[in-house]
Amino acid sequence: MSHDDPKLLVSTDWLARHLKDPDLRVLDASMFLPGSDRNAKAEYDAAHIPGARFFDIDDVSDHRSELPHMVPPVEKFMSRMRALGVGDGHQIVVYDSQGIYSAARVWWLFKLMGQNDIAVLDGGLPKWQAEGRETEDLPPVIRDRHMTVRRQNQMVKDVTQVSSAAKLRDTEIIDARAAERFRGEVAEPRPGLRSGHIPGARNVPFQTLMNADGTLKDPEGLRAVFEAAGVDLSKPAITSCGSGVTAAVLNLALTRMGKTDHSLYDGSWSEWGQFPTLPVATGED
């Protein structure tokens, strides 16, 4: 049973019905971790949902930062979206080639920039293709469109704010990485980072929020996952992961559950794990 919400999550059926709407804009936000032998742009060029534009997460980011794909300055976001022909009055649907992975980060980024008419495609490109739906290899026809940005600063947290939250224990810090990374049992994929997690954090690996077909669980199912991980849902939440991408899957899930007081730690473990002065916990604690 699908519950389509054009501000949050839409089904492949919904997208197929609306694909020809003049004000619909579809974004392919696929990306892969460093060391993967896959190239997101090449895969987009070979096959994408008709009319989709490629949203390059590494390009639409703050290149002044040493950290990977940090939130871009407002002006850069606006100019990149104008170049993609995405702006005011558009309904946006974002998807990726892994189901629900990097698309949630782009959904969160648009929300951070004050854009509400954006939804993640539930199940992403894998579900679209599994259902035998159309793809194309043509570049989209792009016309400039202005975008008005109102940055929602409360949606993003920096290392100082997260460090304070970890000390005060007044906020739940929820880590979307795999359990063995959270517990510090394996080396991090990015060299030079310590293993472990922010003290007091809870672990909700983002894949545990999905159904078998790669769609997001319903609100009751999501709530059960967070509660089983020991998350106190009455507290505000800060999400974190390896580099601020899959953390946004947690924000998507929390929003679907009706929770509004949550933000994302943009630097995530790429930042926390590199500073010897910041405390690191291992194991389940």
Side-chain angles (χ1 to χ4, degrees), residues 157-159 162 198 238-240 244 263-268 271-272:
K157 295 285 185 271
D158 64 23
V159 67
V162 176
I198 300 166
I238 298 171
T239 67
S240 181
S263 52
L264 182 148
Y265 173 24
D266 199 24
S268 281
E271 181 174 42
W272 191 282

Side-chain angles (χ1 to χ4, degrees), residues 177-188:
R177 292 176 302 156
E180 56 272 19
R181 287 174 66 189
F182 178 83
R183 294 193 297 257
E185 294 165 0
V186 294
E188 281 292 301

Side-chain angles (χ1 to χ4, degrees), residues 115-129:
Q115 302 293 314
N116 283 316
D117 297 323
I118 178 164
V120 170
L121 180 62
D122 204 10
L125 189 62
K127 186 167 189 283
W128 182 269
Q129 291 181 311

Side-chain angles (χ1 to χ4, degrees), residues 4-19 21 23-30 49-55 86 90-96 99 103-104 106-107 110 116-125 128:
D4 294 308
D5 179 351
K7 296 185 187 323
L8 180 69
L9 197 68
V10 296
S11 62
T12 49
D13 283 339
W14 185 96
L15 182 57
R17 284 200 310 275
H18 290 275
L19 206 50
D21 290 6
D23 281 328
L24 182 81
R25 294 292 176 271
V26 181
L27 300 177
D28 182 326
S30 302
I49 291 174
R53 294 108 206 269
F54 185 70
F55 186 104
V86 174
H90 284 148
Q91 168 64 46
I92 305 158
V93 175
V94 59
Y95 72 87
D96 65 62
V106 173
W107 168 84
F110 272 84
N116 283 316
D117 297 323
I118 178 164
V120 170
L121 180 62
D122 204 10
L125 189 62
W128 182 269

Side-chain angles (χ1 to χ4, degrees), residues 72-83:
V74 165
E75 302 71 32
K76 181 173 185 179
F77 182 80
M78 288 169 69
S79 71
R80 291 294 193 274
M81 291 313 96
R82 180 186 285 270

Side-chain angles (χ1 to χ4, degrees), residues 124-235:
L125 189 62
K127 186 167 189 283
W128 182 269
Q129 291 181 311
E131 292 165 352
R133 300 184 190 270
E134 181 189 359
T135 58
E136 66 180 19
D137 58 4
L138 308 166
V141 177
I142 288 178
R143 296 177 188 85
D144 269 15
R145 174 83 71 110
H146 174 73
M147 178 181 283
T148 308
V149 167
R150 297 178 192 86
R151 196 172 188 273
Q152 309 295 307
N153 293 326
Q154 75 284 358
M155 286 180 56
V156 65
K157 295 285 185 271
D158 64 23
V159 67
T160 311
Q161 293 167 310
V162 176
S163 181
S164 167
K167 284 194 193 81
L168 294 171
R169 302 287 166 110
D170 58 352
T171 302
E172 289 285 36
I173 299 169
I174 317 173
D175 190 323
R177 292 176 302 156
E180 56 272 19
R181 287 174 66 189
F182 178 83
R183 294 193 297 257
E185 294 165 0
V186 294
E188 281 292 301
R190 289 183 175 79
L193 297 182
R194 296 171 298 166
S195 294
H197 60 265
I198 300 166
R202 303 291 186 180
N203 187 207
V204 178
F206 77 96
Q207 296 94 334
T208 60
L209 301 169
M210 308 297 169
N211 297 308
D213 65 351
T215 57
L216 197 64
K217 290 183 172 176
D218 64 20
E220 297 70 34
L222 294 172
R223 187 174 297 277
V225 174
F226 282 103
E227 286 175 349
V231 174
D232 180 348
L233 290 166
S234 70
K235 291 182 178 177

